Amino acid sequence: MTFLQIDTAERSVPAIGDWQAQARAARISTADLLAHLQLTPGDFAAGVIADPDFPVLVPPHFLAQIRARDPADPLLAQVLARGEEAWPQPGRLTDPLEEADYRAAPGLLRKYRSRALLIASGACAVHCRYCFRRHYDYGAAALPASGQAAALAAIAADPAIDEVILSGGDPLSLSDARLAALAAGIAGIAHVNTLRLHSRTLVVIPARVTDALVEMIAASRLQTVIVLHSNHANELSDDVRGALLRLRAAGATLLNQSVLLAGVNDAAEVIAGHCRRLLACGVLPYYMHLTDPVAGTAHFDVGTEMARDIEADLRRMLPGYLVPRFVREVPGELSKTPLWAL
């Protein structure tokens, strides 16, 4: 990693309608990101990293939601490689959830009795700096096209599995054709009745909601649950809202999971505003995750006691159905651990 000094020459960001073109345009240098936002490395106490090991990816739509000239913008904090990533961080891990222990076949994780998780793709539309899989070996763990039949056969052989979860990376980085083929294979397993997709792409590239995706969901015999990943109300533009409402109209159940992040959403008022905006988008809050001990992400941590205070405030501010469940993934546990049990 190298630290950066730049000038602030304006960068032209392409206006792109096609979702795959937007994904290709997401690769951006730290220098260009700062220049576009009229910021300099000196605006950040620990500086920024010019060439991070975990590359910077910011699609044009998401970039357009970030406030210029504001180094404290909560969306920028999620995508900028800040100098804190290079600080010594004893005890931080590259596989904090010990997921390698649950590999049942190429691309297939079996942690829960009634659910199987497929790492459908190693690609993401955006690189969130706090990502718990930022060090993940997708080459070894993601589902290869050649391994799809074996993974589906493993699911078909276990009648206890009634839900298949597509994760990643991001499963919506797959083309409509490949995603439809995978979903059809899952639908062909009689004892599976629910397909769940976890996606950040819907928030950062709302154009990913294509006619083909909507038709696939509407036509499937499976109950489709889509868990998007949004952390702040500013991410939920009118374009995102329109895309999400299309998915809901097609019959999908929409939930959201967030991560509690210092400098992004570590205040009850911020989370409450986000939850209300989610409801306006047809989405119910689901989980609020405390951060995992991932190498390079310690500056995002929010302490357990502060998290408890925030959750208590939210219960006073919001109706119960809008309060996300505060949880942490604990290695070795077969379910998420609620905040009160930590």
Side-chain angles (χ1 to χ4, degrees):
M1 284 182 275
T2 55
F3 286 80
L4 178 69
Q5 292 182 337
I6 61 169
D7 61 33
T8 55
E10 183 67 19
R11 175 181 183 266
S12 175
V13 177
I16 304 171
D18 175 68
W19 75 267
Q20 290 173 312
Q22 287 202 36
R24 290 191 296 271
R27 189 66 179 260
I28 184 172
S29 69
T30 301
D32 282 348
L33 176 60
L34 292 182
H36 177 82
L37 297 170
Q38 301 174 50
L39 295 167
T40 72
D43 292 318
F44 303 89
V48 297
I49 301 172
D51 186 22
D53 297 333
F54 186 49
V56 176
L57 291 184
V58 189
H61 175 85
F62 192 79
L63 181 60
Q65 312 313 311
I66 301 174
R67 292 188 296 260
R69 300 180 296 278
D70 183 1
D73 181 85
L75 276 57
L76 177 61
Q78 298 177 60
V79 297
L80 177 65
R82 290 168 19 202
E84 289 94 335
E85 293 185 22
W87 288 357
Q89 298 179 4
R92 311 298 284 193
L93 307 172
T94 57
D95 183 14
L97 305 187
E98 299 176 356
E99 290 185 311
D101 296 341
Y102 299 104
R103 292 178 188 168
L108 177 64
L109 300 182
R110 286 301 314 277
K111 182 176 181 180
Y112 307 110
R113 180 69 184 123
S114 64
R115 287 149 286 167
L117 187 147
L118 290 174
I119 303 293
S121 171
C124 282
V126 63
H127 278 177
C128 303
R129 308 313 301 177
Y130 52 86
C131 181
F132 76 98
R133 288 190 180 133
R134 59 181 286 168
H135 305 286
Y136 203 61
D137 183 3
Y138 286 106
L143 179 67
S146 60
Q148 181 172 311
L152 294 179
I155 294 169
D158 188 347
I161 298 172
D162 59 19
E163 179 176 12
V164 175
I165 303 165
L166 302 186
S167 186
D170 194 313
L172 291 184
S173 66
L174 298 177
S175 68
D176 284 329
R178 186 168 175 203
L179 182 63
L182 180 57
I186 294 167
I189 302 172
H191 54 80
V192 174
N193 53 49
T194 302
L195 175 65
R196 192 195 321 172
L197 297 95
H198 284 239
S199 180
R200 180 82 161 139
T201 298
L202 298 173
V203 174
V204 301
I205 307 179
R208 179 62 188 89
V209 180
T210 60
D211 291 345
L213 178 62
V214 171
E215 291 164 5
M216 183 195 85
I217 292 169
S220 178
R221 76 160 185 87
L222 299 172
Q223 173 63 51
T224 301
V225 177
I226 297 177
V227 182
L228 65 146
H229 176 186
S230 172
N231 296 314
H232 196 281
N234 290 1
E235 299 174 6
L236 301 173
S237 68
D238 288 343
D239 285 342
V240 171
R241 180 177 183 270
L244 295 174
L245 291 177
R246 287 188 72 197
L247 294 173
R248 187 178 179 192
T253 298
L254 303 182
L255 305 173
N256 182 71
Q257 60 179 358
S258 299
V259 181
L260 185 62
L261 300 166
V264 174
N265 58 5
D266 54 342
E269 295 80 6
V270 173
I271 298 172
H274 183 214
C275 291
R276 294 187 183 103
R277 179 60 178 169
L278 284 167
L279 183 63
C281 295
V283 182
L284 281 178
Y286 178 34
Y287 282 133
M288 175 65 75
H289 291 267
L290 275 66
T291 50
D292 299 309
V294 184
T297 69
H299 54 293
F300 287 112
D301 290 355
V302 175
T304 303
E305 288 306 316
M306 184 176 178
R308 288 194 178 103
D309 290 342
I310 291 172
E311 184 183 34
D313 287 343
L314 286 173
R315 293 191 180 282
R316 289 188 286 268
M317 297 169 69
L318 293 172
Y321 62 86
L322 282 186
V323 180
R325 286 174 279 176
F326 280 58
V327 297
R328 169 165 277 155
E329 292 268 16
V330 177
E333 295 294 329
L334 297 183
S335 62
K336 292 174 177 60
T337 301
L339 179 59
W340 60 263
L342 293 174

